[in-house]
Amino acid sequence: MKQFLTYLSFTFVLFLVSCNQDSKSDYEDVSYLREVYSSGNNENWPNPNLHESVDVSSFEDIGALPHVVFPENNPYTKEKATLGEDLFFDPRLSSSGQIACASCHNPKKGWTDGIEKSIGHKGIMGKRNAMTIINIAHSSSLFWDGRVKTLEEQVSFPIEDPTEMNQDFGIALSQIASLPYYQEKFKAAFEDGKVSDENLRKAIATFQRTIQSKDSKFDQFVKGNDTIFSDEEVLGLHLYRTKANCISCHNTPYFSDNQFHNDGQTLLGSRHEDLGLFNITKDTTDLGKFRTPTLREIELTGPWMHHGNFPTLKDVVQYYNHGNPAPISKKHLKTNDKRIAFLKSSEILEPLQLTNEEVGHIIQFLKTLSSQYTTSDKTDLVVEP
């Protein structure tokens, strides 16, 4: 009997050890993860843990950023990009003569402005945080609400917005056309040589497409540099694609699915209330949906979210870790506000059970997405009238 009990005890210990090994997530095997993720072939990677709502047939995993493909109707030329850069930094496109595109998209601040909500005409605070335009060529729609599809179309929106540059686009164009400097620049950039609506749009859009990330630490790692990542960064990468479920929305080499999701930040009844995509489509299923932002250069592009209310990356990761636990604030809502019935946060949002250590690993990984990105030497108006 004693021998039998000893055998049972030994068997139970083996069972516990086995269970412990089975319960350990494979992300704890750093050597294995380092080898497969730096193999240069993402087919060797562990399968991502995608939410069931993700369309697997169109899913594209994260990876090194591909080269930009310029549209056939607006191919790249150096002259066109240089002209676009001048226009991007020229405050004469605004009614006050003080606000340029670069005022909210400063190259020294990750091509954003580093504040919660952008300040525009006469010091008016806008309603949203300025999205970075780094790698914007890889986006299939523009603005947080996706109101336009091309960079050429996007150009006039900030110029004409009364809270941004507050200028009639035709007047802005005529002011540019009156300047000999620009007359010569347009002649060099376009076959017809005209300072026209179409050419101005094409020039600025061409410049914006040149604003790209260079190889980040992440890019170098997945291309084969297996020593450039720390163990914590390797673990963070794997958590990103598995337990933390970041990959369900922030996928593709652009680190965005270019889709729209309600991340629970509509903030109905508060001064930050924003209905997102619904403002454009008027479709109640789009209430509170916003375009998934890229995570490349994310360390430099805070504060985060469309309202800029998250001052640190830890705030962002912990928010998703807890699965958006905050209920809709009804303090300032009317009792008959019908929007509540239609407002539904993305089903992807759910508690993740990440430990503080795991949160730290993910943040370390996110920082590897920063690079010596394409910048500009221009910081102010540099063209002569």
Side-chain angles (χ1 to χ4, degrees), residues 362-378:
I362 293 170
I363 293 172
Q364 288 299 108
F365 165 65
L366 291 175
K367 291 180 178 180
T368 71
L369 302 180
S370 296
S371 73
Q372 297 296 317
Y373 58 85
T374 301
T375 183
S376 173
D377 294 330
K378 297 180 186 291

Side-chain angles (χ1 to χ4, degrees), residues 125-300:
M125 178 180 287
K127 294 183 178 180
R128 291 176 180 161
N129 178 263
M131 298 187 88
T132 181
I133 57 172
I134 296 172
N135 306 311
I136 198 66
H138 298 283
S139 179
S140 59
S141 63
L142 288 307
F143 299 102
W144 282 102
D145 52 29
R147 71 189 75 163
V148 299
K149 301 300 182 183
T150 70
L151 285 166
E152 287 79 5
E153 184 184 1
Q154 173 269 338
V155 167
S156 59
F157 279 81
I159 292 175
E160 296 187 319
D161 192 313
T163 64
E164 294 188 50
M165 299 169 77
N166 190 47
Q167 179 66 291
D168 177 84
F169 192 73
I171 294 176
L173 182 63
S174 64
Q175 290 181 344
I176 293 301
S178 69
L179 302 172
Y181 175 88
Y182 277 123
Q183 293 169 10
E184 293 302 314
K185 296 280 280 190
F186 274 82
K187 287 179 182 178
F190 295 97
E191 186 175 347
D192 64 12
K194 294 180 179 179
V195 186
S196 64
D197 178 316
E198 180 182 6
N199 287 346
L200 185 143
R201 292 174 183 274
K202 284 184 173 181
I204 293 179
T206 297
F207 168 64
Q208 288 180 303
R209 291 189 178 100
T210 69
I211 302 170
Q212 304 169 35
S213 290
K214 297 182 181 179
D215 268 3
S216 66
K217 194 174 181 180
F218 163 77
D219 295 314
Q220 295 174 58
F221 178 68
V222 298
K223 287 180 180 180
N225 187 343
D226 62 348
T227 62
I228 198 170
F229 260 25
S230 67
D231 286 351
E232 292 75 19
E233 290 164 345
V234 173
L235 295 175
L237 164 58
H238 190 59
L239 285 163
Y240 178 100
R241 295 182 66 256
T242 54
K243 182 178 178 180
N245 199 26
C246 312
I247 194 71
S248 287
C249 296
H250 294 280
N251 47 58
T252 79
Y254 181 49
F255 280 78
S256 167
D257 61 5
N258 273 315
Q259 296 183 32
F260 297 83
H261 304 277
N262 183 340
D263 61 358
Q265 290 292 296
T266 303
L267 303 180
L268 286 182
S270 77
R271 64 187 178 90
H272 300 289
E273 177 180 302
D274 193 335
L275 305 184
L277 184 60
F278 172 80
N279 292 330
I280 308 303
T281 66
K282 305 306 178 186
D283 184 341
T284 53
T285 62
D286 290 331
L287 271 168
K289 289 184 178 180
F290 294 89
R291 182 164 69 86
T292 306
T294 178
L295 298 185
R296 284 189 174 270
E297 316 294 347
I298 191 172
E299 186 179 8
L300 306 172

